[in-house]
């Protein structure tokens, strides 16, 4: 391998050409056509029915440059409705296209839908996934790379290559059987193994040249388990977290919780041979491990020795690592100004929201809840019901903004919020398991995390200068995590557990960020091609 092969060089040249000469100046359009089908896959050596995109498992990567418009036509050849959501894409002013059942009508079998997305003011490493029917346990996920515009300086030399690594847990049981277990009120079994890019033990080879540096974009696309990532004999320099450049600290291994994405630089500076790339489970009683191979291009020596062991159940180790991840205040983000120019620590908080997770039984079945409310989907996407003023689908304030510790109940929970509020959200976890939360439509500042009960005095330990900005954050057992977020994106936005059984059984809600001004300045109008389903049938989108 050299600096880039013919395909990648052509792709980069195309990016640069379109960035300068594309439609709408530096915002070109990129068109994709995806066919969603069932197909036989063997990720752990057992035949399963997977969900493929254009015959691929995992699905094709998406490459874009900041501000690109992505036109993705999705044709559903499954026997059930289907939706794709875009983990990390902020959908500025455009929650219509968020691809969750609370915002977007499912694509019926035999039908299609065209997503119109924009990577507005974004860079970095993200991924997409199927959001309905526990499809995430069957595939249909893939990586998203958003490259910086050519004139925006990047705080590291161009790497010789850019690898996408989609890692996570996997079940040999088919997704519809797992869904049936959850619907019956039972818990999922433990995962059967881990995958890297859809394959098990030593299923992938990443080829490098000695002396050169490579970028690895690693996402945890699993549904149940935090993971640890490491490369035998090599250090990893962290450079980016979910669209934010970071201080370039070096790590021997890195914890990646459900739904999270990291970019690291790895220099092939070891003796010429092959090395293990290792992913193992974290905080599990039975440690799962899988490997790929880092192959030096002129190596004639295969991998050898024991697979490097990683951390297992150590909470403090992981907490200290998380605190060490800081924002690079001198680096440009997607715009030509330093990331640190937004002084989040000097803005007055307009509201504090405290969210406590729980695992109650309701009507004799296992459910999961936030502030005692276990979410159930409405019969109409909440965004459409809100737009068309359809009564009875949801009630604003159906979830309290702080824990009540009362009897748990089922509701289509929507919390109201005001456009341009600056909000503090505290995730309080009294359970014995690590939680992972994602907020659609936003990146937020992770200002603090610690054990025990959060109190106002906890603000004294906040990082108000250079904490990382991201969209998915962990909450350790019997601990809290606090974030700051500027509600500058009007829409209906999902806040959820990234543990997919918990999400499926109610550990989620929607935040309705509202502006009274009916203006394209605040939110785009309903798309002409929006699907209308449920009680929105019969309404019209717009001329």
């Amino acid at each position: 391998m050299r600096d880039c092969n013919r395909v990648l060089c052509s792709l980069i040249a195309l990016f640069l050409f379109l960035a300068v000469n594309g439609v709408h100046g530096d915002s070109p359009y990129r068109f994709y056509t995806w066919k969603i089908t069932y197909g036989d896959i063997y990720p752990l050596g057992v035949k399963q029915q997977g969900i493929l995109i254009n015959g691929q498992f995992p699905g094709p990567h998406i490459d874009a440059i900041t501000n690109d418009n992505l036109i993705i036509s999705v044709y559903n050849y499954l026997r059930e409705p289907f939706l794709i959501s875009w983990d990390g894409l902020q959908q500025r002013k455009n929650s219509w296209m968020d691809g969750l059942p609370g915002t977007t009508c499912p694509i019926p079998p035999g039908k299609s839908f065209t997503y119109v997305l924009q990577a507005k003011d974004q860079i970095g490493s993200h991924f997409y996934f199927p959001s309905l029917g526990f499809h995430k346990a069957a595939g249909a996920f893939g990586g998203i790379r958003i490259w910086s515009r050519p004139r925006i300086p990047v705080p590291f030399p161009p790497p010789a290559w850019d690898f996408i690594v989609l890692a996570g847990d996997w079940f040999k049981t088919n997704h519809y059987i797992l869904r049936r277990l959850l619907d019956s009120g039972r818990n999922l079994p433990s995962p059967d193994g881990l995958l890297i890019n859809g394959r098990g033990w030593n299923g992938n080879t990443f080829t490098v040249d000695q002396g050169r540096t490579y970028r690895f974009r690693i996402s945890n696309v699993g549904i149940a388990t935090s993971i640890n990532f490491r490369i035998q004999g090599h250090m990893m320099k962290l450079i980016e977290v979910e669209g934010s450049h970071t201080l370039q600290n070096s790590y021997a291994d890195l914890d990646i919780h459900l739904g999270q994405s990291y970019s690291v630089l790895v220099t092939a500076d070891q003796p010429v041979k092959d090395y293990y790339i290792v992913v193992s489970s974290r905080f599990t009683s039975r440690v799962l491990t899988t490997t790929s191979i880092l192959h030096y291009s002129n190596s004639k020596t295969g991998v050898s020795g024991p697979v490097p062991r990683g951390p297992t159940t150590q909470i403090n180790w992981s907490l200290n690592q998380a605190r060490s991840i800081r924002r690079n205040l001198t680096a440009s983000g997607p715009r030509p100004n330093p990331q640190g120019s937004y002084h989040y620590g000097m803005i007055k908080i307009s509201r504090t929201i405290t969210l406590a997770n729980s695992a109650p039984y309701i009507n004799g079945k296992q459910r999961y809840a936030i502030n005692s409310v276990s979410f159930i989907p409405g019969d109409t996407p909440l965004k459409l019901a809100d737009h068309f003023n359809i009564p009875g689908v949801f009630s604003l304030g159906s979830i309290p903004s702080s824990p009540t510790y009362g009897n748990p109940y089922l509701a289509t929970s929507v919390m109201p919020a005001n456009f341009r509020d600056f909000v503090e959200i505290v995730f309080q976890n009294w359970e014995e398991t690590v939680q992972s939360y994602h907020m659609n439509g936003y990146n937020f500042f992770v200002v603090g995390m610690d054990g025990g009960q959060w109190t106002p005095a906890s603000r004294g330990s906040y990082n108000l200068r250079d904490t990382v900005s991201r969209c998915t954050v962990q909450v350790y057992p019997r601990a809290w995590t606090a974030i700051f977020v500027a509600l500058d994106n009007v829409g209906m936005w999902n806040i959820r557990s990234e543990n997919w059984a918990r999400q499926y059984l109610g550990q989620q809600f929607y935040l309705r960020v509202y502006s009274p001004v009916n203006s394209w300045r605040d939110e785009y109008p309903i798309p002409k091609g929006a699907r209308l389903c449920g009680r929105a049938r019969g309404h019209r989108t717009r001329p």
Side-chain angles (χ1 to χ4, degrees):
M1 179 180 296
R2 298 296 177 255
D3 285 342
C4 57
N5 70 9
R6 186 181 307 167
V7 174
L8 184 65
C9 287
S10 299
L11 187 62
I12 292 172
L14 177 64
F15 281 170
L16 298 179
F17 175 81
L18 289 176
V20 176
N21 302 299
V23 180
H24 294 282
D26 62 349
S27 299
Y29 284 78
R30 307 189 185 282
F31 295 88
Y32 300 83
T33 299
W34 287 356
K35 296 181 179 180
I36 312 300
T37 61
Y38 298 114
D40 291 339
I41 57 175
Y42 301 81
L44 291 176
V46 175
K47 181 179 175 180
Q48 295 177 251
Q49 184 188 78
I51 298 179
L52 314 180
I53 301 180
N54 292 349
Q56 300 178 42
F57 167 73
H61 304 322
I62 293 176
D63 281 291
I65 292 175
T66 301
N67 294 340
D68 277 0
N69 299 281
L70 307 173
I71 314 300
I72 305 174
S73 298
V74 178
Y75 292 80
N76 179 17
Y77 292 96
L78 307 183
R79 295 183 295 273
E80 54 188 327
F82 184 78
L83 266 180
I84 290 182
S85 190
W86 319 90
D87 202 283
L89 279 185
Q90 293 176 16
Q91 313 286 4
R92 303 298 300 177
K93 303 190 291 185
N94 192 28
S95 65
W96 311 102
M97 293 287 170
D98 211 21
L100 290 164
T103 60
T104 313
C105 289
I107 307 170
K111 302 296 182 180
S112 66
F113 177 70
T114 298
Y115 290 90
V116 181
L117 316 173
Q118 187 183 25
K120 177 65 175 172
D121 291 335
Q122 287 196 255
I123 58 172
S125 309
H126 313 280
F127 64 93
Y128 61 85
F129 66 95
S131 60
L132 278 184
F134 227 66
H135 291 156
K136 194 177 181 185
F141 51 77
I144 301 174
R145 293 183 287 204
I146 306 177
W147 306 73
S148 296
R149 288 178 290 171
R151 289 177 226 140
I152 307 299
V154 175
F156 49 86
W161 192 261
D162 191 298
F163 296 111
I164 288 180
V165 180
L166 304 174
D169 53 60
W170 192 259
F171 294 79
K172 293 179 181 177
T173 305
N174 285 334
H175 72 281
Y176 49 83
I177 298 175
L178 297 176
R179 183 173 66 206
R180 219 174 291 151
L181 284 174
L182 295 174
D183 289 339
S184 70
R186 289 182 284 172
N187 289 313
L188 293 183
S190 296
D192 295 297
L194 301 176
L195 303 181
I196 298 174
N197 289 350
R199 297 183 178 184
W201 198 270
N202 286 353
N204 298 275
T205 298
F206 299 85
T207 300
V208 297
D209 290 339
Q210 189 179 36
R212 294 187 175 176
T213 298
Y214 299 82
R215 182 173 185 168
F216 287 78
R217 301 174 188 255
I218 315 145
S219 296
N220 184 344
V221 296
I223 64 173
T225 313
S226 298
I227 59 174
N228 182 268
F229 181 89
R230 52 200 181 272
I231 300 178
Q232 182 183 23
H234 293 72
M235 296 297 290
M236 300 178 291
K237 183 182 291 184
L238 184 64
I239 57 170
E240 177 252 330
V241 171
E242 293 160 21
S244 295
H245 292 303
T246 63
L247 290 182
Q248 295 179 12
N249 298 328
S250 292
Y251 299 91
D253 48 22
L254 198 59
D255 275 359
I256 306 174
H257 302 276
L258 287 167
Q260 292 184 337
S261 297
Y262 290 83
S263 274
V264 298
L265 295 179
V266 177
T267 299
D269 55 4
Q270 297 302 302
V272 172
K273 55 174 286 192
D274 291 355
Y275 296 86
Y276 285 113
I277 297 173
V278 189
V279 172
S280 59
S281 61
R282 287 287 268 126
F283 320 116
T284 56
S285 55
R286 180 171 70 100
V287 177
L288 302 172
T289 303
T290 195
T291 62
S292 287
I293 296 172
L294 186 75
H295 170 66
Y296 278 56
S297 57
N298 54 342
S299 168
K300 294 180 173 50
T301 305
V303 290
S304 61
V307 173
R309 297 185 62 183
T312 54
T313 60
Q314 304 92 327
I315 297 293
N316 285 339
W317 184 95
S318 188
L319 174 63
N320 289 332
Q321 183 182 83
R323 287 171 170 167
S324 73
I325 298 173
R326 302 296 182 91
R327 191 172 169 91
N328 186 340
L329 300 184
T330 62
S332 294
R335 295 179 178 180
N337 60 293
Q339 293 182 141
S341 61
Y342 185 78
H343 299 290
Y344 67 91
M346 300 175 66
I347 302 174
K348 184 178 179 181
I349 297 168
S350 54
R351 180 184 180 189
T352 296
I353 298 170
T354 304
L355 305 174
N357 49 277
S358 58
Y361 279 78
I362 302 177
N363 299 328
K365 292 186 175 183
Q366 176 71 69
R367 297 288 301 185
Y368 297 96
I370 298 175
N371 290 355
S372 301
V373 186
S374 186
F375 181 86
I376 52 174
D379 61 9
T380 303
L382 311 182
K383 182 62 183 171
L384 295 182
D386 195 31
H387 175 74
F388 292 119
N389 296 312
I390 301 172
V393 177
F394 70 90
S395 297
L396 282 175
S398 45
I399 178 173
S401 58
S402 60
T404 63
Y405 301 107
N407 291 329
Y409 59 94
L410 304 173
T412 305
S413 38
V414 179
M415 186 182 294
N418 294 321
F419 182 41
R420 296 206 173 102
D421 273 0
F422 191 77
V423 176
E424 175 187 47
I425 299 178
V426 178
F427 297 100
Q428 182 70 60
N429 177 21
W430 285 117
E431 297 185 66
E432 299 290 347
T433 56
V434 176
Q435 306 293 313
S436 187
Y437 281 97
H438 178 85
M439 184 173 185
N440 276 33
Y442 292 93
N443 265 30
F444 47 71
F445 294 96
V446 184
V447 292
M449 54 178 65
D450 208 347
Q453 172 73 53
W454 181 91
T455 69
S458 303
R459 295 182 180 128
S461 66
Y462 282 4
N463 177 354
L464 299 180
R465 182 174 180 273
D466 65 348
T467 191
V468 72
S469 171
R470 64 187 317 166
C471 58
T472 308
V473 69
Q474 71 272 27
V475 192
Y476 292 101
R478 297 193 167 276
W480 57 267
T481 294
I483 66 174
F484 284 174
V485 57
L487 299 183
D488 59 357
N489 196 11
V490 173
M492 188 76 72
W493 303 110
N494 188 242
I495 297 178
R496 65 175 178 272
S497 171
E498 285 287 300
N499 180 304
W500 221 239
R502 284 179 168 264
Q503 179 273 155
Y504 184 81
L505 292 179
Q507 194 173 318
Q508 62 170 305
F509 70 96
Y510 283 82
L511 187 73
R512 179 195 187 237
V513 180
Y514 175 72
S515 169
V517 179
N518 184 17
S519 167
W520 284 38
R521 181 200 66 184
D522 293 348
E523 184 178 27
Y524 295 141
I526 185 171
K528 294 178 182 179
R531 282 195 166 274
L532 301 180
C533 55
R535 285 189 253 174
R537 285 193 181 96
H539 289 76
R540 298 186 62 189
T541 55
R542 58 190 173 97

